Amino acid sequence: MELLDPLKNPTLAAAPFFVLTLLLEIAAFKWLESDTHEMRGYEKKDARTSLVMGVGSIVSSAVFKAGTLVVFVAMSVYLAPWHLPDDTWWSWALLIVGLDLAFYLQHRFVHRVRIGWAAHQAHHSSEYFNFSTALRQKWNPWAEAIFWAPFPLLGFEPWMLYVAFGFNLVFQFFQHTERVGTMWWPIELVFNTPSHHRVHHGSDPEYLDKNYAGIFIVWDRMFGTFQEELHRPTYGLTVPVGTFNVLTLQYGPFVALARDVRAAERWRDKIGYVVMPPGWHPGESRADAEQPREVTARG
């Protein structure tokens, strides 16, 4: 089965390099002089929490792949009007670019819809920014299925989605570092870089909900969500979680969401809590909720 073949599962093949790179970064913080005293490096409890969340995401991702593969295969077999070859460079190029656009849209969705943010915020909960932060993944990857669904209908073989997204995740791993400054300007213009992604993890008002890119920063430039790095970000959520408890980090926001839904008296308010942006309250418009506020707990 393709998903179990290391040669067709980029994240599995890259795992040893993740560990090696993480160890090299730890060594760099310990023995090399930093460019700025503001770099925070690693903190044991924070890094351990990120690693535990990374291991948990392997399990949740496996369940996600197993469940969605069945659905996507059925869509491909019974609904797709044509099938694209899986052995040509252009089909892979189309899929990688198309899936990266889908990632941008999905990433923007989970930041701007509270039920999506309840799942995604765990990735932003660290107040550190290093390679271990890249492993601090959510255990609820349901939103991906919504944005991946068009691809089997467009003729891409379902197994190809997981391989292409694996490359996307491998690329993103290496953006989680403060040890790299800005890169050559053509690279900064087209691709996501550590500088761009540091902005995304910032809780500063000017950095909130910016730079959703996976591989190509051009999506943010095209759709008005790009922000260059003006200063070192304040990492984490706008309201710090103050805990290293993995279950609280993963599911605490769902508990808070359920509490708000249960307390709301009108159905429109119950639905609003689910589908409006984080920090929305009854009586507000979406435009009101778009304004950055401390109570949004966004990052």
Side-chain angles (χ1 to χ4, degrees):
M1 184 178 180
E2 289 86 352
L3 297 179
L4 301 179
D5 183 351
L7 297 179
K8 294 186 177 181
N9 190 334
T11 51
L12 181 62
F17 297 98
F18 291 167
V19 175
L20 176 61
T21 306
L22 190 151
L23 293 175
L24 289 174
E25 187 181 46
I26 292 175
F29 275 113
K30 184 174 182 179
W31 288 305
L32 297 182
E33 183 177 342
S34 298
D35 295 333
T36 171
H37 68 280
E38 294 181 328
M39 289 186 184
R40 300 185 67 186
Y42 282 75
E43 197 278 329
K44 289 183 179 179
K45 288 184 178 179
D46 180 83
R48 183 171 63 244
T49 300
S50 295
L51 293 174
V52 171
M53 291 166 73
V55 172
S57 74
I58 294 175
V59 177
S60 64
S61 295
V63 174
F64 167 75
K65 288 178 180 179
T68 55
L69 183 61
V70 173
V71 176
F72 291 159
V73 167
M75 293 170 63
S76 176
V77 172
Y78 297 109
L79 299 177
W82 57 75
H83 292 86
L84 300 176
D86 61 8
D87 58 354
T88 60
W89 70 266
W90 58 264
S91 60
W92 281 102
L94 284 174
L95 179 58
I96 289 172
V97 173
L99 202 63
D100 194 59
L101 174 57
F103 175 84
Y104 168 87
L105 296 173
Q106 178 268 143
H107 200 180
R108 189 167 180 175
F109 167 83
V110 297
H111 271 255
R112 303 308 309 136
V113 175
R114 186 175 174 184
I115 192 172
W117 178 244
H120 183 65
Q121 57 78 41
H123 179 61
H124 287 262
S125 59
S126 175
E127 296 178 23
Y128 293 79
F129 191 76
N130 50 52
F131 288 131
S132 74
T133 308
L135 304 177
R136 183 177 283 233
Q137 295 294 322
K138 62 182 180 292
W139 295 355
N140 309 277
W142 56 268
E144 279 89 338
I146 299 172
F147 290 86
W148 289 13
F151 291 94
L153 299 177
L154 291 173
F156 293 101
E157 294 298 325
W159 69 268
M160 296 172 64
L161 302 180
Y162 305 99
V163 177
F165 189 60
F167 280 112
N168 198 299
L169 290 179
V170 170
F171 182 91
Q172 290 187 55
F173 173 86
F174 294 102
Q175 312 315 312
H176 291 79
T177 182
E178 291 193 276
R179 303 296 309 188
V180 177
T182 55
M183 305 179 76
W184 186 36
W185 71 264
I187 296 176
E188 296 280 341
L189 181 67
V190 176
F191 294 98
N192 193 14
T193 65
S195 177
H196 297 328
H197 203 58
R198 286 193 290 269
V199 167
H200 180 69
H201 276 257
S203 60
D204 312 87
E206 62 270 32
Y207 290 165
L208 284 179
D209 301 327
K210 301 295 183 180
N211 297 3
Y212 297 112
I215 296 177
F216 300 107
I217 199 67
V218 292
W219 310 126
D220 288 285
R221 295 185 186 277
M222 289 172 59
F223 299 122
T225 53
F226 175 74
Q227 173 63 54
E228 67 176 320
E229 187 177 27
L230 303 175
H231 56 81
R232 183 184 181 274
T234 302
Y235 300 112
L237 304 174
T238 57
V239 178
V241 289
T243 182
F244 294 109
N245 185 294
V246 174
L247 294 179
T248 300
L249 292 172
Q250 289 287 349
Y251 300 113
F254 285 103
V255 174
L257 173 58
R259 186 183 303 120
D260 286 339
V261 170
R262 185 170 58 251
E265 297 180 355
R266 299 183 301 175
W267 274 103
R268 63 182 297 178
D269 295 336
K270 292 179 183 292
I271 296 172
Y273 275 123
V274 175
V275 303
M276 295 295 278
W280 175 88
H281 296 289
E284 292 183 332
S285 67
R286 175 169 283 274
D288 293 331
E290 292 286 340
Q291 301 302 314
R293 295 169 297 179
E294 286 299 310
V295 297
T296 60
R298 298 212 310 274

